[in-house]
Amino acid sequence: MIKNFFVLVLTFLSTALIANENLTETIKLEKHYKVENTFSGDLYENTSFHFIFAKNKKTKEKEILGYLYNGAQVEKLENISSKKELSIISFHSTTSHLTVLFSYKEKKNEFLKRVVYDLSTKKITENESSSNEDMEASFRTKNKSVLIFKNDDKLFFKSFTEDKKAKESSYTFKDDKDPIKIFFEDNHISTIKTDEFVANGSTSELKAYLENDKIIFTKEDEKQNKCSVLALSLSEETIIPQPILNFTNTSPNKKFKKTVSYYSNGKLFLVSLSKKMGGLKIFDIAKNQELNSIAFDQNLVSQLKTSTAFDGIEKFLKNAGKNKYNPTVTVNKTTSDKLVIRMDYVDVNYGYKYNWWWHHQQFFMWQQQFYMQQMQMNMPSGFGPSQPEYFFPSITKDEKHYFELLIDLNGKLLNEELPRTMYNEVDKKQFVDTLEKIKSIKHESSCFLKDSFRYIGYSKKLKSFIFQTNKI
């Protein structure tokens, strides 16, 4: 019965995706193009851009064919030609320009190519290359991309906005005993995308959060039930770091087994737990003080907002404390200036992905390449497609076993109905997985706009690329 129901749901979703709900345009490529892959990105509320990565059999060069789509009309962008294999690192936009950052390799050197499109003329106005050695992670917001670099000598950042020149900031390590250098040793930086709903977040020890021109780094130490916080301002060329702050969530009677954290709105949310006990502490970073301490026990039950698979606090702690699971905590702001805290647990193989659906478009991302090198895995190179299977976002049987708490901006626990969050929670995996199962379409890629799912794909029946929008 369950299997038949799943097939019915999948059939319904697949039919909805290809039912020509907003199928308004098709394009047919010339025969001398051999398609490698595609990429889709969000631009405005109802406008997306789409790249077709192809090999030109006439020139023997690789080309990126770009398009804008507003849900009703497709407009052609100027092509990019390259002899090197290009992969997307990031992109951002203003009302007048789209900036895309590509990476490529020449011999043993890594390079960054910055391409700027004028959205009025559809022409490329800038196309320049620079070094991309030692890149570790990146942030992407609507109008800015920030790249993080680290080597044995220094930590440095490149911020790209609408300005022609990237703004650079750096901190040079004093010596091997420099606390800042030690802070980043032997850890991959996991950047958190906070301009969308965050359901589970990252389970990595070292996380980074972009807040205007500042990056907040948090580093967890499970053995001591501690989290260290480092704030770096990118407003000046030479970074003067603030002191590293340490926050703990310990029990006087027993050490907790696991510790996880999340940063939001100037506050650190630090959770420590074991199979039979656990709790959350909320700290004000600027004041370096504790705002609230909430024990996960029966006294909390009346204030919990729970998912369908939630089976009580005791069962939650028992599972979250198991070796095969990792606890997660996230915080999402509401439209009424309150905060929703979500506690959950995920399989130990789960990995948080910044813009995770890029995996489904099989794109090479440098922040993930570094992590994979740390795991001593080989990264295949390629034009467009090159994402390894390792980065598929695993989850725990698709079950939602979280519970949520509502607090005000001062950390006070509120016993009231949950208000709407600023960003809606969308099951993106369901949409992308369903698209991938449609056998009549290949070379598909997708993105999520404000209230819709947009994709491009090659229709085997029409022998053309189709552009489609589906409401979320």
Side-chain angles (χ1 to χ4, degrees):
M1 175 67 82
I2 294 176
K3 182 179 179 181
N4 291 337
F5 175 75
F6 173 78
V7 172
L8 179 63
V9 171
L10 178 60
T11 302
F12 172 77
L13 287 170
S14 300
T15 304
L17 285 177
I18 61 176
N20 293 348
E21 179 182 336
N22 282 299
L23 177 58
T24 58
E25 292 288 340
T26 64
I27 58 168
K28 182 169 276 189
L29 301 187
E30 296 177 66
K31 291 183 179 180
H32 60 267
Y33 284 115
K34 181 183 178 182
V35 176
E36 299 280 352
N37 210 341
T38 61
F39 178 84
S40 299
D42 58 299
L43 201 55
Y44 308 131
E45 285 190 6
N46 196 42
T47 302
S48 54
F49 72 93
H50 306 268
F51 286 152
I52 298 176
F53 286 71
K55 183 176 181 179
N56 188 323
K57 290 183 281 187
K58 288 183 178 180
T59 63
K60 307 300 181 185
E61 289 196 342
K62 302 174 188 297
E63 290 189 27
I64 301 175
L65 290 68
Y67 302 88
L68 297 180
Y69 182 49
N70 63 7
Q73 181 182 8
V74 175
E75 295 182 280
K76 183 74 177 68
L77 295 171
E78 183 179 349
N79 288 0
I80 299 174
S81 296
S82 174
K83 293 181 180 179
K84 301 297 179 183
E85 299 166 345
L86 298 180
S87 302
I88 291 180
I89 294 176
S90 185
F91 64 88
H92 56 273
S93 63
T94 64
T95 55
S96 58
H97 292 84
L98 166 65
T99 300
V100 185
L101 304 180
F102 297 94
S103 64
Y104 68 92
K105 197 168 185 176
E106 194 167 301
K107 295 182 179 179
K108 293 184 178 182
N109 299 317
E110 311 288 350
F111 291 93
L112 172 75
K113 178 184 282 289
R114 175 175 171 266
V115 177
V116 181
Y117 293 92
D118 185 311
L119 296 176
S120 296
T121 65
K122 314 302 182 293
K123 298 293 184 183
I124 294 173
T125 59
E126 295 177 52
N127 188 338
E128 58 185 22
S129 296
S130 59
S131 174
N132 201 43
E133 299 289 343
D134 303 317
M135 182 182 158
E136 178 161 347
S138 66
F139 288 102
R140 180 182 76 84
T141 66
K142 187 67 179 174
N143 58 4
K144 179 166 63 175
S145 295
V146 179
L147 310 185
I148 303 174
F149 301 80
K150 181 172 70 72
N151 57 35
D152 288 339
D153 300 317
K154 64 180 180 178
L155 183 71
F156 58 107
F157 308 84
K158 291 182 181 180
S159 301
F160 295 86
T161 57
E162 58 185 328
D163 296 330
K164 290 189 176 182
K165 188 177 180 181
K167 182 180 178 181
E168 298 189 9
S169 306
S170 65
Y171 173 78
T172 302
F173 303 129
K174 296 179 175 63
D175 51 41
D176 288 342
K177 295 182 180 180
D178 188 325
I180 307 299
K181 184 173 185 177
I182 295 172
F183 184 91
F184 290 97
E185 278 182 349
D186 303 323
N187 274 289
H188 167 70
I189 300 171
S190 177
T191 51
I192 309 300
K193 188 171 176 59
T194 55
D195 56 351
E196 64 180 15
F197 188 94
V198 184
N200 289 111
S202 174
T203 57
S204 298
E205 287 183 7
L206 181 57
K207 305 180 186 72
Y209 304 80
L210 181 64
E211 193 175 67
N212 299 318
D213 282 335
K214 185 188 296 183
I215 298 181
I216 310 298
F217 295 95
T218 63
K219 185 180 180 182
E220 296 148 13
D221 184 342
E222 284 196 334
K223 291 182 179 179
Q224 299 185 52
N225 302 141
K226 181 180 76 172
C227 182
S228 301
V229 178
L230 170 65
L232 298 180
S233 173
L234 309 185
S235 58
E236 302 294 335
E237 282 189 28
T238 302
I239 295 174
I240 302 176
Q242 297 179 16
I244 298 173
L245 302 176
N246 295 305
F247 301 91
T248 58
N249 185 355
T250 57
S251 167
N253 303 319
K254 183 181 178 182
K255 281 196 74 173
F256 291 113
K257 183 180 178 182
K258 299 180 179 182
T259 295
V260 65
S261 68
Y262 195 87
Y263 172 86
S264 179
N265 292 87
K267 298 169 185 63
L268 179 71
F269 298 80
L270 184 59
V271 173
S272 291
L273 57 80
S274 296
K275 289 184 179 181
K276 293 185 178 180
M277 59 188 297
L280 163 72
K281 286 193 176 183
I282 305 171
F283 299 92
D284 185 306
I285 301 293
K287 296 179 181 179
N288 194 11
Q289 70 177 32
E290 182 179 317
L291 297 178
N292 201 352
S293 180
I294 302 170
F296 296 159
D297 56 27
Q298 293 304 315
N299 296 324
L300 190 64
V301 171
S302 62
Q303 301 185 65
L304 298 182
K305 283 70 180 176
T306 63
S307 58
T308 53
F310 181 78
D311 196 21
I313 283 285
E314 290 185 5
K315 186 70 174 291
F316 180 92
L317 288 172
K318 183 178 179 180
N319 285 331
K322 291 179 179 178
N323 292 333
K324 65 178 182 178
Y325 297 129
N326 282 325
T328 65
V329 58
T330 60
V331 180
N332 290 283
K333 196 171 183 179
T334 72
T335 53
S336 55
D337 262 357
K338 296 170 184 175
L339 301 174
V340 176
I341 303 168
R342 176 177 289 192
M343 278 299 309
D344 203 349
Y345 57 87
V346 293
D347 188 277
V348 290
N349 294 315
Y350 160 90
Y352 171 79
K353 314 299 175 302
Y354 197 98
N355 291 337
W356 69 262
W357 65 90
W358 286 21
H359 160 81
H360 295 269
Q361 306 182 75
Q362 297 179 321
F363 262 77
F364 179 82
M365 295 188 64
W366 282 97
Q367 67 189 60
Q368 293 173 336
Q369 180 206 30
F370 182 89
Y371 183 49
M372 192 185 57
Q373 288 173 341
Q374 294 290 87
M375 301 294 290
Q376 296 182 340
M377 299 176 68
N378 294 320
M379 169 67 77
S381 63
F383 181 66
S386 54
Q387 192 88 319
E389 185 180 7
Y390 175 80
F391 291 107
F392 188 84
S394 62
I395 56 176
T396 310
K397 297 181 181 179
D398 287 322
E399 291 180 346
K400 303 289 185 181
H401 31 54
Y402 61 81
F403 67 83
E404 292 176 318
L405 300 168
L406 183 67
I407 64 167
D408 63 19
L409 295 181
N410 295 315
K412 181 183 177 182
L413 191 61
L414 304 174
N415 191 9
E416 57 187 67
E417 289 298 312
L418 291 179
R420 282 189 61 182
T421 51
M422 286 186 64
Y423 303 102
N424 294 329
E425 182 177 10
V426 177
D427 190 348
K428 296 176 179 178
K429 183 178 183 296
Q430 182 186 41
F431 280 88
V432 176
D433 285 356
T434 303
L435 176 60
E436 288 181 345
K437 288 181 173 70
I438 301 174
K439 298 186 182 300
S440 60
I441 297 175
K442 65 178 182 178
H443 298 310
E444 71 278 356
S445 64
S446 58
C447 61
F448 292 85
L449 304 181
K450 183 179 180 181
D451 57 2
S452 61
F453 175 64
R454 175 74 52 78
Y455 75 85
I456 182 178
Y458 181 81
S459 169
K460 298 176 185 178
K461 181 179 179 181
L462 300 175
K463 298 189 184 305
S464 300
F465 276 92
I466 62 173
F467 296 78
Q468 180 150 337
T469 305
N470 289 83
K471 294 295 183 182
I472 295 177

